[in-house]
Amino acid sequence: MIDVLVVDDDFMVASVHQNFVDRVEPFRVVGTANTGEQAITAVGELRPDLVLLDLYLPDMFGLDVIPRLRTAGHDCDVMVISASRETDVVRRSVRQGVVNYLLKPFDFEDLRPRLVRYAAQRNSLLTTVVRGQADVDRVLTGAGLSASSVALPKGMSVETAELIERTLRGTDGTLSAAECAARTGISRVSARRYLEYFNDTGRAEVSLRYGAAGRPERRYGWRA
């Protein structure tokens, strides 16, 4: 499991974000905090792996929480969730090592792929043996992660994910979910689910093909 602390000055917003996080495996919310001081105390008591950190807290600016956590010896990761669109704030967040920066307001489908990518890269950091520069590059970019190296969402199998991955890698161009299903022998619905998972984790990309009428067709290609 990946334990998460949700920090937001509005307890109702914190509850919504908690609900979002708890819907994404293998994440679970172990606590919430509404002020910077509460957040620092909660990190010390709960030892979360990831903190979802609002910036406009009633007692301090959210980014000022991070150096206090580091001084106290806490190495949890931090994802900023804020309405701030100021360039200086984004730059400062990056300099402080945040793993992502998500603008409010957002919905579940905005947060989910960021959590999935974080889980994949975290797993890579925990399991990669560094033999050379290529291994370091893969850890830093999240590239080159095989389906078997990450924790898949509930209901997905490593074997099917690897089958879809091999199919995409071996395709010259892009595939639709229907074409992928025909090549792999699985249902179109299942193929679409795995393809969207690879898109969420940044290992595949989606393009739209527009026809004469109707909705555009989603086509998937493996990222080099």
Side-chain angles (χ1 to χ4, degrees), residues 22-96:
D22 283 337
R23 290 166 61 186
V24 184
E25 293 194 0
F27 294 86
R28 65 178 178 185
V29 173
V30 294
T32 61
N34 306 121
T35 70
E37 290 294 345
Q38 287 178 10
I40 293 165
T41 300
V43 168
E45 294 175 349
L46 302 173
R47 302 286 176 169
D49 303 299
L50 176 67
V51 177
L52 297 190
L53 181 64
D54 186 20
L55 295 186
Y56 296 117
L57 302 174
D59 56 343
M60 67 179 72
F61 191 56
L63 290 182
D64 294 331
V65 170
I66 299 177
R68 291 187 56 180
L69 293 177
R70 301 303 179 231
T71 300
H74 303 307
D75 61 355
C76 54
D77 292 315
V78 176
M79 181 183 299
V80 169
I81 48 173
S82 175
S84 176
R85 290 167 169 77
E86 298 174 25
T87 303
D88 288 344
V89 173
V90 176
R91 288 194 187 119
R92 184 180 167 193
S93 299
V94 172
R95 286 196 296 268
Q96 298 222 29

Side-chain angles (χ1 to χ4, degrees), residues 192-206:
R192 173 73 176 266
R193 185 182 180 202
Y194 282 89
L195 291 167
E196 287 294 335
Y197 165 74
F198 284 130
N199 177 54
D200 288 344
T201 57
R203 286 173 284 165
E205 57 187 354
V206 175

